[in-house]
Amino acid sequence: MSVAIVGAGIIGLACAEELSRRGAEVTLYDRRQPGAGASWVAAGMLAPAYEAAGHQGQHPDLFELCRRGGDVWPSFARRVELESGLDVGYSAGPSLAVACHPEHEAQLLDIEAALACNRVPFERLDRVQLIQLEPSLSDTVQMGLVLHKDGQVDNRRVIKALLKVFERRSNVQMKIGVDVSDPKSLLSDHDAVICAAGWESVKLGSELAPIRPVGGQLLILEKGETAPIHSLRRGPVYIVPKADRIVVGASVEPGRVSRETDQVVLDELLEAASEVWPGLSAARVRESWAGIRPGTSDHAPIIGRLGEAPIYTATGHYRNGILLAPITAVALADMILNDHTAELIEAFSAKRFASQPV
């Protein structure tokens, strides 16, 4: 079977890997370089607990999808590393979520309740216990949670590794610099099409009108001797140590589609992160980035077939694109190659927005 994938971000690349592994002929289309959008700007967190537990207004099955998405990552990471020969920086966790103010503590209590309800392991720590794990935490940090299932991966390494895998697979082609405006036009050359163009997927069909662009900005800092060991979360702010850098983010700016950074926003991010880890205020800034996440009204992705034609969508992953890439790829490959849709995945089809005004 021949499958076209519109969009070569982490979702499109993961779909290409899974489909080609199962024997499909895959062609990736993107007008930019592979992985150059939100996938490159991301911090690479695999955080089902912090991102999906206990948040109001989200899809009722999002936490379960994220939990299962995390379970898929170890085998996906091993497979990509083995075939590419590159380390993708996968770590199963844990991460630390901390509170500096009462509103942060309230958020942690909501997460704690959701994790307890779903029997997901965690620990609540007071300041003394936290300092034993991360001695350089700020004096303002008074309590926190150890999130055992929240890990990370180096998203940039994953993209490079997947591209290396495709160099070795004769059934994967890449057409870069090609702007696809109508996915149906690809059906003359392919048996199925996957729309995985992030927030820009909305331009590919009216069925994707629920996609909402959400801007995000972050900083990449030089890694010093006192860098944290764990990923740290405080409200919407995160501090994620990599092998060669520290990622600090991220703003949440609904409707923003600019890829230009705003120094005021970046200064606010660094100030907020420094409240958790004071040493960051003196770290050298290596890069600053702005990206655009594909959001939906229930913060959950749109996965599935769009209509009678064999056109499928894989977008709307919002802040969980890296986490959900492998499980999304498995779901799409099952649909296209085996005509099978898991019950959980059914809940994330575009049909759920049918009653909403466009």
Side-chain angles (χ1 to χ4, degrees):
M1 178 171 277
S2 173
V3 182
I5 301 175
V6 183
I10 188 65
I11 301 296
L13 294 175
C15 288
E17 192 281 328
E18 182 69 21
L19 284 160
S20 61
R21 185 174 71 91
R22 299 195 199 183
E25 296 286 337
V26 178
T27 304
L28 282 153
Y29 295 83
D30 204 312
R31 59 191 182 88
R32 288 189 294 270
Q33 290 300 309
S39 302
W40 190 260
V41 182
M45 290 178 294
L46 309 175
Y50 196 85
E51 291 292 347
H55 298 302
Q56 293 183 348
Q58 71 180 21
H59 192 294
D61 296 320
L62 180 59
F63 178 73
E64 180 62 16
L65 181 68
C66 288
R67 187 187 67 78
R68 294 193 195 181
D71 292 341
V72 174
W73 254 101
S75 60
F76 176 75
R78 284 195 300 270
R79 184 170 74 242
V80 172
E81 287 181 335
L82 183 63
E83 190 167 351
S84 69
L86 301 176
D87 178 6
V88 299
Y90 172 76
S91 170
S95 296
L96 299 180
V98 301
C100 300
H101 304 292
E103 62 267 28
H104 305 144
E105 189 168 336
Q107 180 189 13
L108 295 192
L109 294 177
D110 287 342
I111 293 174
E112 184 180 84
L115 296 179
C117 182
N118 288 279
R119 299 182 179 180
V120 177
F122 69 92
E123 295 175 64
R124 186 197 293 189
L125 303 183
D126 60 22
R127 176 170 177 77
V128 173
Q129 294 168 312
L130 284 170
I131 292 300
Q132 292 175 348
L133 294 176
E134 293 285 7
S136 297
L137 281 170
S138 165
D139 293 342
T140 61
V141 176
Q142 296 301 315
M143 64 88 67
L145 300 178
V146 179
L147 305 175
H148 292 285
K149 294 290 187 179
D150 281 16
Q152 65 157 303
V153 69
D154 191 320
N155 45 296
R156 296 183 175 185
R157 290 188 182 185
V158 173
I159 290 167
K160 292 177 181 178
L162 285 170
L163 294 177
K164 180 66 69 174
V165 167
F166 298 155
E167 289 177 5
R168 302 177 179 184
R169 292 188 185 179
S170 60
N171 58 337
V172 179
Q173 297 183 52
M174 306 197 73
K175 295 192 175 181
I176 304 305
V178 178
D179 192 359
V180 177
S181 58
D182 181 5
K184 292 181 181 179
S185 66
L186 298 175
L187 291 176
S188 60
D189 297 317
H190 303 282
D191 301 306
V193 179
I194 298 174
C195 300
W199 77 274
E200 292 179 307
S201 294
V202 69
K203 302 175 183 178
L204 303 178
S206 60
E207 297 93 341
L208 290 170
I211 295 294
R212 303 173 176 182
V214 182
Q217 300 181 57
L218 58 74
L219 292 162
I220 296 176
L221 307 179
E222 199 75 47
K223 190 173 182 180
E225 295 181 359
T226 60
I229 299 170
H230 306 83
S231 295
L232 302 174
R233 312 298 301 268
R234 192 227 70 180
V237 175
Y238 54 71
I239 303 167
V240 185
K242 305 293 185 184
D244 60 347
R245 64 194 189 277
I246 297 177
V247 184
V248 173
S251 63
V252 178
E253 303 170 68
R256 189 179 195 270
V257 296
S258 172
R259 288 186 169 85
E260 298 294 324
T261 57
D262 182 330
Q263 192 59 48
V264 173
V265 173
L266 296 176
D267 289 345
E268 290 174 349
L269 276 176
L270 186 57
E271 182 180 358
S274 298
E275 186 178 32
V276 175
W277 195 269
L280 294 178
S281 60
R284 187 175 74 86
V285 176
R286 283 175 43 179
E287 302 175 48
S288 57
W289 282 85
I292 308 161
R293 312 176 187 95
T296 61
S297 59
D298 57 9
H299 307 308
I302 304 174
I303 303 171
R305 190 161 176 160
L306 290 177
E308 293 300 320
I311 297 176
Y312 301 78
T313 185
T315 187
H317 293 76
Y318 189 41
R319 291 167 64 100
N320 293 303
I322 307 297
L323 170 65
L324 295 177
I327 195 171
T328 298
V330 171
L332 267 295
D334 285 345
M335 290 179 202
I336 294 170
L337 302 181
N338 302 330
D339 194 24
H340 171 74
T341 304
E343 183 178 354
L344 176 62
I345 300 299
E346 286 275 14
F348 294 93
S349 78
K351 297 176 184 177
R352 71 186 193 269
F353 298 110
S355 61
Q356 295 185 9
V358 175

